[in-house]
Amino acid sequence: MSTMGDGTRAVRAGLPEPEQFEPTLPGPVFAAHFHLSGDPVGPYTYGRETNPTWTHLERAIGELEAPGEDVGTTVFASGMAAITAVLLSQVRSGDAVVLPDDGYQALPLVRDQLAAYGVEVRTAPTGGDAQLDLLPGAKLLWIESPSNPGLDVCDIRRLVEAAHAAGVLVAVDNTLATPIGQRPLELGADFSVASDTKGMTGHGDILLGHVTCRDPRLTADVRRWRKVVGAIPGPMEAWLAHRSLATLHLRIDRQCGSALALAEALAARTEVTGLRYPGLPTDPSYTVAARQMRRFGSVVSFELSDRETAERFLSALRLVDDATSFGGVRSTAERRGRWGGDAVAEGFIRFSVGAEDAEDLLADVEQALDAAVR
């Protein structure tokens, strides 16, 4: 499948060989245990370790992460389960890890837990490849590019080359881009990680995460961690996720096109400041993003003058839900500062563009801005 287009790959990914009178995508397998006589060997032994529904989904994600390659994917109950599986399966007391200081809001919780376990945590911003200076003596580098919510981008190839030269493993949180927007393994990363709650499944109704590795030893580490902590997805969630992958390219292409149109429209509004979208040619990250990204994502961020203006804007929107998360077919937006923990202004808006008609969405945003600043 390495020569196929993204759409063909997405709709066929992970499907078993055709079998007469069987469904194209088998239904979810609900099982805590399986028939197992004699020695406990074979693909399916106990429901906390393996499940046929996971197998199909993991193959599908692997085909999207690294077309034509033999990689190992492990699915988890959430994005945070996937993130912590990589970190806690690889580092020990006395090790050092390098994290972004502008990444996903829950990363500070991970940082505190790592520190409690005796791990040295070093942090630097995503932009400007600032993490480079912190690599000497580290065990693992964690990259989030584009970063959430600020949408900064770093040169993943450059960081990976420097890290590997120093004997440092590299994990990339690819949640914002998805594998059809950016392929971290092709850029040299050891782990490609994502919260599939977001764009991968795209309907706002599933919590899921995954880790993909080329090195089977790293895959074994991650899978062992999943077995130990039991952070497994339900078979129904895994089946729904696989079903959702078939429209991944359609959703992402529509959302990315509309996100660029939104960014262009916001750039013309004098009350909007701090606009970021890596696919906008005037964005500070555009040059680097264009080298390593194939699509630029569905999220646009910007600032309004203060908290009250931002909240008036959100209240005036009619086609956009005031909700957290991103990557769904229904547009969402939120004043990110309401959660605390992100170094953003009170009027900072994270806007996730859905699959609505772009003309309708832009008209809604324009009227909401007009209402907010009167």
Side-chain angles (χ1 to χ4, degrees), residues 20 96 105 125 223 240 348:
Q20 190 76 345
Q105 183 197 34
R223 289 192 174 172
L240 287 170
F348 180 97

Side-chain angles (χ1 to χ4, degrees), residues 33-278:
H33 59 265
F34 303 84
H35 290 295
L36 185 67
S37 59
D39 293 334
V41 294
Y44 306 109
T45 57
Y46 184 65
R48 182 166 39 83
E49 299 183 28
T50 49
N51 177 290
T53 310
W54 304 350
T55 299
H56 294 312
L57 175 59
E58 289 171 344
R59 288 174 181 166
I61 293 173
E63 290 171 14
L64 297 173
E65 287 277 12
E69 296 189 44
D70 185 13
V71 295
T73 295
T74 309
V75 291
F76 288 87
S78 68
M80 282 304 298
I83 289 169
T84 54
V86 172
L87 288 164
L88 296 178
S89 71
Q90 297 304 311
V91 302
R92 304 290 183 271
S93 178
D95 289 338
V97 298
V98 180
L99 303 180
D101 65 10
D102 56 348
Y104 177 53
Q105 183 197 34
L107 270 184
L109 301 177
V110 177
R111 181 183 63 210
D112 292 345
Q113 192 63 56
L114 289 169
Y117 288 156
V119 176
E120 178 190 348
V121 180
R122 308 168 184 172
T123 62
T126 298
D129 300 341
Q131 291 172 297
L132 278 172
D133 295 335
L134 305 181
L135 291 176
K139 176 69 180 295
L140 186 143
L141 165 65
W142 190 273
I143 294 171
E144 187 177 308
S145 180
S147 62
N148 171 31
L151 303 183
D152 263 329
V153 169
C154 61
D155 188 332
I156 296 175
R157 283 192 184 92
R158 181 187 182 203
L159 285 164
V160 166
E161 289 173 3
H164 285 172
V168 181
L169 293 168
V170 181
V172 176
D173 184 331
N174 200 42
T175 301
L176 265 161
T178 80
I180 68 165
Q182 180 172 266
R183 294 180 182 147
L185 299 185
E186 290 185 358
L187 299 173
D190 300 290
F191 304 88
S192 180
V193 189
S195 169
D196 301 322
T197 307
K198 314 298 194 299
M200 281 286 277
T201 57
H203 291 78
D205 54 7
I206 301 170
L207 270 74
L208 202 79
H210 81 266
V211 178
T212 302
C213 310
R214 274 202 182 94
D215 187 336
R217 294 170 298 179
L218 297 178
T219 297
D221 289 344
V222 171
R223 289 192 174 172
R224 181 182 181 278
W225 183 260
R226 180 179 67 181
K227 176 181 177 179
V228 169
V229 300
I232 60 172
M236 191 67 197
E237 286 77 6
W239 185 85
L240 287 170
H242 196 166
R243 184 200 63 171
S244 298
L245 290 182
T247 60
L248 177 64
H249 64 296
L250 297 172
R251 292 184 279 106
I252 297 298
D253 280 348
R254 175 66 168 257
Q255 290 168 266
C256 290
S258 297
L260 177 59
L262 175 62
E264 291 171 341
L266 291 171
R269 300 285 303 219
T270 57
E271 63 269 53
V272 171
T273 60
L275 174 66
R276 297 300 305 270
Y277 182 67

Side-chain angles (χ1 to χ4, degrees), residues 215-360:
D215 187 336
R217 294 170 298 179
L218 297 178
T219 297
D221 289 344
V222 171
R223 289 192 174 172
R224 181 182 181 278
W225 183 260
R226 180 179 67 181
K227 176 181 177 179
V228 169
V229 300
I232 60 172
M236 191 67 197
E237 286 77 6
W239 185 85
L240 287 170
H242 196 166
R243 184 200 63 171
S244 298
L245 290 182
T247 60
L248 177 64
H249 64 296
L250 297 172
R251 292 184 279 106
I252 297 298
D253 280 348
R254 175 66 168 257
Q255 290 168 266
C256 290
S258 297
L260 177 59
L262 175 62
E264 291 171 341
L266 291 171
R269 300 285 303 219
T270 57
E271 63 269 53
V272 171
T273 60
L275 174 66
R276 297 300 305 270
Y277 182 67
L280 194 66
T282 55
D283 189 89
S285 293
Y286 177 76
T287 300
V288 175
R291 286 201 303 264
Q292 65 192 21
M293 299 185 73
R294 302 164 63 245
R295 294 169 175 83
F296 297 103
S298 63
V299 178
V300 178
S301 67
F302 58 95
E303 293 178 21
L304 297 176
S305 58
D306 52 36
R307 173 176 180 163
E308 291 72 23
T309 303
E311 291 183 346
R312 286 197 301 271
F313 167 72
L314 294 170
S315 296
L317 291 167
R318 296 292 175 261
L319 299 179
V320 182
D321 296 330
D322 190 344
T324 196
S325 200
F326 57 86
V329 292
R330 289 173 287 278
S331 292
T332 61
E334 69 172 335
R335 192 183 66 81
R336 193 62 188 163
R338 65 180 176 174
W339 295 99
D342 290 318
V344 296
E346 286 293 305
F348 180 97
I349 301 291
R350 185 182 69 182
F351 197 112
S352 174
V353 177
E356 300 89 355
D357 288 318
E359 296 81 2
D360 295 335

